[in-house]
Amino acid sequence: MNCADIDIITASYAPEGDEEVHATGFNYQNEDEKVTLSFPSTLQKGTGTLKIDFVGELNDKMKGFYRSKYTTPTGDTRYAAVTQFEATDARRAFPCWDEPAIKATFDISLVVPKDRVALSNMNVIDRKPYPDDENLVEVKFARTPVMSTYLVAFVVGEYDFVEARSLDGVLVRVYTPVGKAEQGKFALEVAAKTLPFYKDYFNVPYPLPKIDLIAIADFAAGAMENWGLVTYRETALLIDPKNSCSSSRQWVALVVGHELAHQWFGNLVTMEWWTHLWLNEGFASWIEYLCVDHCFPEYDIWTQFVSADYTRAQELDALDNSHPIEVSVGHPSEVDEIFDAISYSKGASVIRMLHDYIGDEDFRKGMNLYLTKYQQKNAATEDLWESLEKASGKPIAAVMNTWTKQMGFPLIYVEAEQQEDDKVLKLVQKKFCASGPYTGEDFPMWMVPISICTSDDPTCAKMQILMDKPELTLVLKDIKPDQWVKLNLGTVGFYRTQYSPDMLESLIPAIKDLSLPPVDRLGLQNDLFSLARAGIISTVEVLKVMEAFVNEPNYTVWSDLSCNLGILSTLLSHTDFYEEIQVFVKDVFSPIGERLGWDPKPGEGHLDALLRGLVLGKLGKAGHKATLEEARRRFKDHVEGKHILSADLRSPLHKQADMQEEKNRIERVLGAISQPELIQKVLTFALSEEVRPQDTVSVIGGVAGGSKQGRKAAWKFVRDNWEELYNRYQGGFLISRLIKLTVDGFANDKMAAEVKAFFESHPAPSAERTVQQCCENILLNAAWLKRDAENIHQYFLQRKAPPAMV
């Protein structure tokens, strides 16, 4: 059976109705995290009871059964004991068969100090004094349904809680650090709304009597969907009504939606093996948006999905070192590596495309078939396709295999020819590569659901087809010569589009006058940017299109634009005309900055608050004088207590924050400085007691992303402190994130070789793919600079030049 860092004292087996036999030997295979028990004679077949007495340690590794350090309101340091078992760490808490397909029921009892809160997956059925020690109590929980080991959970610590009953009668509690119960109310409200939403959507009731959501001080992931006891980082659950910013509320709503979706999809029906992890995570990452859109329509969350998930996945998936959504996983140590943007974000994006292709009604029917057929069992990706196929009558498996079993996605080149009153479109699909036009021998092919709209009605598909071959010719009836045509309505299809020059030309005015919906403006700009990055078009073409966004009101469109300008800015920090791009950024962002100002206006909503923080941050970073002066003035007032800054404007601050969200906000921006001695100070601070281990990564990342000097210093710091950092994260996914944040901004071949050499002599098995992706990105950046830097420079110079006299 599986067993890691556990010492077995005695073990015995009693066949039903027979004598118990004592084990005579325990053979530990530490490499494989297994132990073999030997008995004096062959055990008879049939049911029986295996008893094991063992000792394990409460470790500090944020996995298995571990310690989490917290400070009480009076300033004492205490420890809570909590669990994190996914993917393969239940075996650190108790010997077990630790694989998702080996399901069992669990009867859990905890013996704990009587003044502590003890929680597990199920409700408490008995609590009695512990005979040997009057300071302890024994807490007994109800038997769980049949479930996988990675979802078992228990927590012992000091907590306050707020509670509510959902419409369908489930008891919901949010547990917070002592004295912060009020900060649990927002998540409680979201959870109480979400449970009935999923019950309706799947047409399957929530299967347990209660659900607890709990904030854990030290936590490696964002949250974990343990059945009935969901654990969270504090920043993913707690909202302070006065001091939390809008983006934090939105983040909490999404994470709560994600984890609660897993109670059905993942916990009730579980993947057969880790190969199908993407389905579990991709599905929850898609439906969290559906749920937040239901609870908070004013967030315009689906547009944000495109910039948060869809474009991120496309960026990674265009690399040669990407991987298919569905990866075969052999050894459990390979599991950590697939918790990445491909499993989550590409997974979510192809499910969004599938939902759109099937239609909501049949999709729900198929989900219900799937969940009822496999409840309390395990299923593979094919089983879901089969249920959806049954419900919709469409070739789901055939279409989806092209998206899950091969890596990458298509670029669709489109040109139009006017024939009297009709437009004839010619479409060609080829694999999209970050390194330029695809030249491989084989021709990967996708079955692509394509929707097309025209200026007649930009929000409605004029035509929908399934492109299942390399080339296709279509006729759009009754389209005048002056009407534009756009592919991929709603940016739902997982592909990039390259228009012929005249088709693109006709779309630019639709960006300026906002007749193209926000998500389509975003998609158009993002496609162009990545075509430029790949050298398929010139970067100058994109800069011209970016200038068409002067009237843009939409937060998410700005957020994506800002992100792309950030990438370009980092690239150009390797040239001697870095100042020029800062001027460009100021020109693009100052009109919207002036319209928004610093203070919320009456009647403004969630998205305006997000936009204000984004725009002021961007102008400040680009060195916009008026913005910097105002920021200094307001900061001074804030520190002197004259006028406290609204949380949405606080990213640029550091103070002794009691709230983890505030601490993180500050830690992430500390690195945005240029003085070498301060940079070193921040890096040393990252590894100090002051920063929680899970947050060290974002402090170092902040330095690397802050400036050119910061990037060099952070990379050196990571190399110099590699032993300590590596031991701290023991191959979990935080190590991958650390590597990516520190080296992604480099742009010369020598650096790529240096990074590669460092990790050859300091292997990090769980981050192997990340290292390859980073080296590939550095080489791509270098090629991009060589190719386009001079053109970009000329473009910036000619923007400034006075118009020639005629």
Side-chain angles (χ1 to χ4, degrees):
M1 64 174 68
N2 295 111
C3 166
D5 301 335
I6 278 177
D7 289 325
I8 294 177
I9 301 160
T10 61
S12 67
Y13 176 72
E16 209 166 307
D18 213 341
E19 300 285 280
E20 75 178 323
V21 194
H22 284 273
T24 46
F26 315 126
N27 176 17
Y28 297 93
Q29 293 111 286
N30 292 339
E31 270 301 276
D32 288 338
E33 304 184 340
K34 285 181 183 155
V35 64
T36 305
L37 309 181
S38 340
F39 289 87
S41 57
T42 312
L43 300 178
Q44 60 193 69
K45 278 194 180 144
T47 24
T49 306
L50 180 64
K51 277 193 190 147
I52 303 176
D53 231 345
F54 63 91
V55 176
E57 66 155 5
L58 270 180
N59 69 58
D60 286 331
K61 293 178 182 165
M62 292 194 279
K63 58 185 187 179
F65 193 20
Y66 70 93
R67 302 196 307 173
S68 168
K69 186 164 144 184
Y70 62 97
T71 314
T72 63
T74 53
D76 302 338
T77 298
R78 302 248 175 102
Y79 290 92
V82 301
T83 56
Q84 168 59 34
F85 292 165
E86 189 179 24
T88 54
D89 291 312
R91 63 192 65 172
R92 289 175 197 280
F94 50 91
C96 55
W97 285 272
D98 196 10
E99 294 183 7
I102 307 177
K103 288 190 166 185
T105 60
F106 294 83
D107 299 308
I108 292 174
S109 299
L110 299 173
V111 176
V112 303
K114 64 177 183 208
D115 58 351
R116 297 293 144 109
V117 172
L119 301 168
S120 183
N121 305 78
M122 297 297 288
N123 48 309
V124 175
I125 48 174
D126 191 24
R127 187 188 167 99
K128 54 175 193 275
Y130 187 61
D132 308 349
D133 182 339
E134 59 180 35
N135 293 317
L136 299 177
V137 289
E138 183 174 351
V139 182
K140 196 171 177 218
F141 299 92
R143 173 171 293 177
T144 70
V146 175
M147 63 186 275
S148 305
T149 48
Y150 79 90
L151 293 166
V152 173
F154 23 93
V155 175
V156 183
E158 297 175 284
Y159 298 95
D160 284 345
F161 68 84
V162 284
E163 68 174 20
R165 273 198 191 273
S166 71
L167 278 175
D168 36 10
V170 180
L171 179 64
V172 187
R173 282 184 174 177
V174 174
Y175 283 87
T176 72
V178 173
K180 297 189 179 172
E182 193 189 4
Q183 295 184 20
K185 284 182 176 160
F186 178 75
L188 181 69
E189 178 194 329
V190 177
K193 268 189 187 169
T194 297
L195 286 170
F197 172 71
Y198 286 146
K199 177 192 165 186
D200 266 5
Y201 196 84
F202 299 131
N203 199 7
V204 172
Y206 172 73
L208 307 183
K210 63 94 180 175
I211 188 160
D212 298 324
L213 292 72
I214 184 167
I216 304 293
D218 299 285
F219 200 72
M224 174 61 211
E225 70 266 20
N226 317 302
W227 216 357
L229 175 56
V230 185
T231 46
Y232 293 80
R233 263 189 192 211
E234 292 186 0
T235 47
L237 189 69
L238 303 181
I239 289 295
D240 176 338
K242 284 191 287 298
N243 288 308
S244 284
C245 61
S246 308
S247 58
S248 296
R249 279 169 204 274
Q250 182 174 302
W251 169 240
V252 168
L254 284 167
V255 180
V256 170
H258 179 103
E259 304 309 331
L260 295 191
H262 276 311
Q263 308 301 307
W264 283 263
F265 203 97
N267 302 6
L268 180 64
V269 176
T270 310
M271 61 210 151
E272 182 66 41
W273 178 244
W274 298 108
T275 300
H276 305 282
L277 171 83
W278 83 269
L279 190 61
N280 209 3
E281 293 304 348
F283 183 84
S285 301
W286 166 76
I287 205 167
E288 68 186 59
Y289 284 86
L290 198 70
C291 150
V292 168
D293 194 44
H294 164 79
C295 296
F296 303 100
E298 70 278 14
Y299 285 9
D300 179 29
I301 203 77
W302 280 115
T303 307
Q304 297 193 50
F305 174 89
V306 176
S307 96
D309 285 276
Y310 173 98
T311 56
R312 251 188 75 208
Q314 287 192 337
E315 211 167 288
L316 192 53
D317 203 25
L319 298 177
D320 295 341
N321 285 297
S322 180
H323 61 87
I325 286 181
E326 213 169 293
V327 188
S328 58
V329 175
H331 195 270
S333 66
E334 297 166 23
V335 181
D336 270 348
E337 208 182 351
I338 57 174
F339 281 84
D340 67 0
I342 297 290
S343 299
Y344 282 72
S345 299
K346 183 180 180 184
S349 301
V350 300
I351 285 169
R352 173 170 166 256
M353 171 168 74
L354 173 68
H355 172 263
D356 189 68
Y357 171 62
I358 293 178
D360 193 60
E361 196 183 328
D362 286 348
F363 188 85
R364 292 171 67 159
K365 251 189 250 161
M367 289 308 309
N368 174 268
L369 274 174
Y370 172 79
L371 289 170
T372 9
K373 182 171 177 184
Y374 295 101
Q375 55 185 323
Q376 301 204 356
K377 298 194 190 75
N378 296 75
T381 303
E382 296 70 57
D383 300 320
L384 178 62
W385 298 163
E386 190 191 8
S387 300
L388 290 168
E389 209 151 289
K390 221 180 222 149
S392 68
K394 289 182 173 169
I396 305 304
V399 171
M400 291 309 284
N401 287 342
T402 66
W403 297 98
T404 65
K405 294 197 186 301
Q406 60 182 354
M407 72 178 207
F409 58 92
L411 169 65
I412 293 181
Y413 178 77
V414 52
E415 53 191 24
E417 191 190 329
Q418 191 74 29
Q419 288 185 357
E420 285 157 20
D421 289 343
D422 305 336
K423 268 198 187 4
V424 178
L425 299 188
K426 189 177 171 214
L427 276 51
V428 181
Q429 65 157 306
K430 277 196 176 130
K431 178 173 168 26
F432 178 71
C433 299
S435 54
Y438 180 71
T439 51
E441 300 293 289
D442 55 331
F443 274 98
M445 258 275 310
W446 285 265
M447 290 175 81
V448 195
I450 289 184
S451 57
I452 301 170
C453 65
T454 70
S455 41
D456 237 7
D457 184 353
T459 57
C460 181
K462 168 100 176 162
M463 181 184 265
Q464 286 177 302
I465 46 133
L466 187 65
M467 180 173 186
D468 52 5
K469 41 181 173 293
E471 301 194 5
L472 202 60
T473 304
L474 307 167
V475 181
L476 288 179
K477 295 265 180 223
D478 303 321
I479 304 287
K480 308 279 178 295
D482 59 347
Q483 287 190 300
W484 53 255
V485 170
K486 179 172 184 301
L487 261 65
N488 204 2
L489 172 71
T491 317
V492 174
F494 199 74
Y495 57 89
R496 291 205 181 277
T497 309
Q498 184 186 1
Y499 295 96
S500 64
D502 50 339
M503 285 184 82
L504 181 59
E505 203 55 38
S506 67
L507 283 163
I508 306 289
I511 294 179
K512 274 197 174 131
D513 68 15
L514 309 177
S515 57
L516 204 57
V519 70
D520 289 290
R521 302 197 291 268
L522 188 160
L524 192 60
Q525 177 267 132
N526 198 285
D527 277 353
L528 286 169
F529 187 78
S530 41
L531 287 168
R533 216 175 164 177
I536 295 172
I537 62 173
S538 150
T539 306
V540 171
E541 295 301 300
V542 187
L543 292 169
K544 288 180 182 161
V545 172
M546 286 178 165
E547 297 197 69
F549 283 85
V550 284
N551 307 318
E552 184 56 59
N554 185 284
Y555 160 69
T556 313
V557 178
W558 274 116
S559 160
D560 196 66
L561 198 65
S562 157
C563 197
N564 289 339
L565 277 171
I567 291 168
L568 195 55
S569 192
T570 300
L571 184 77
L572 298 179
S573 67
H574 302 277
T575 67
D576 51 11
F577 60 92
Y578 181 58
E579 281 313 303
E580 307 288 339
I581 182 138
Q582 303 312 320
V583 173
F584 183 81
V585 170
K586 285 184 276 199
D587 288 350
V588 171
F589 276 84
S590 45
I592 179 80
E594 273 157 33
R595 282 207 299 277
L596 282 167
W598 279 77
D599 298 305
K601 302 183 176 49
E604 268 188 3
H606 173 80
L607 293 162
D608 296 301
L610 292 180
L611 182 55
R612 180 170 289 110
L614 173 83
V615 171
L616 291 173
K618 200 73 179 170
L619 285 169
K621 199 170 176 188
H624 186 254
K625 224 164 139 199
T627 304
L628 290 173
E629 283 163 6
E630 182 65 6
R632 288 199 184 97
R633 189 182 70 74
R634 289 179 180 243
F635 180 64
K636 193 163 162 286
D637 285 354
H638 180 84
V639 175
E640 292 169 359
K642 280 191 215 155
H643 192 89
I644 297 300
L645 274 168
S646 94
D648 287 309
L649 297 179
R650 261 191 232 164
S651 290
L653 284 206
H654 193 282
K655 67 174 172 42
Q656 285 310 313
D658 171 42
M659 204 169 85
Q660 198 49 35
E661 174 195 329
E662 182 89 52
K663 275 198 166 52
N664 279 150
R665 222 188 336 253
I666 295 159
E667 287 163 359
R668 282 198 299 271
V669 297
L670 272 183
I673 43 176
S674 46
Q675 298 92 315
E677 61 285 5
L678 284 179
I679 287 177
Q680 283 314 316
K681 219 169 156 178
V682 175
L683 288 167
T684 319
F685 171 74
L687 277 176
S688 69
E689 284 286 300
E690 305 267 312
V691 177
R692 290 201 178 145
Q694 75 231 20
D695 299 322
T696 298
V697 173
S698 48
V699 180
I700 299 174
V703 174
S707 63
K708 193 175 173 176
Q709 302 88 317
R711 194 156 48 238
K712 288 188 177 137
W715 168 232
K716 183 176 183 320
F717 183 81
V718 167
R719 283 179 321 201
D720 295 346
N721 296 279
W722 178 251
E723 298 297 289
E724 183 179 346
L725 287 162
Y726 188 69
N727 288 336
R728 185 177 273 204
Y729 302 121
Q730 285 279 264
F733 59 87
L734 282 171
I735 206 82
S736 298
R737 191 165 298 163
L738 176 70
I739 294 168
K740 189 170 162 46
L741 286 169
T742 359
V743 304
D744 242 10
F746 289 116
N748 67 42
D749 302 8
K750 201 168 110 267
M751 277 308 305
E754 186 179 307
V755 171
K756 187 166 179 269
F758 179 79
F759 290 107
E760 272 164 6
S761 55
H762 301 78
S766 71
E768 220 168 295
R769 186 179 281 122
T770 302
V771 172
Q772 291 161 344
Q773 288 166 346
C774 289
C775 292
E776 184 178 346
N777 263 328
I778 295 172
L779 294 171
L780 288 168
N781 285 342
W784 186 13
L785 256 187
K786 277 197 203 84
R787 193 175 58 234
D788 264 3
E790 197 34 49
N791 296 348
I792 297 172
H793 192 188
Q794 288 310 319
Y795 177 66
F796 286 153
L797 291 177
Q798 130 213 346
R799 275 182 81 242
K800 284 202 306 204
M805 299 298 283
V806 180

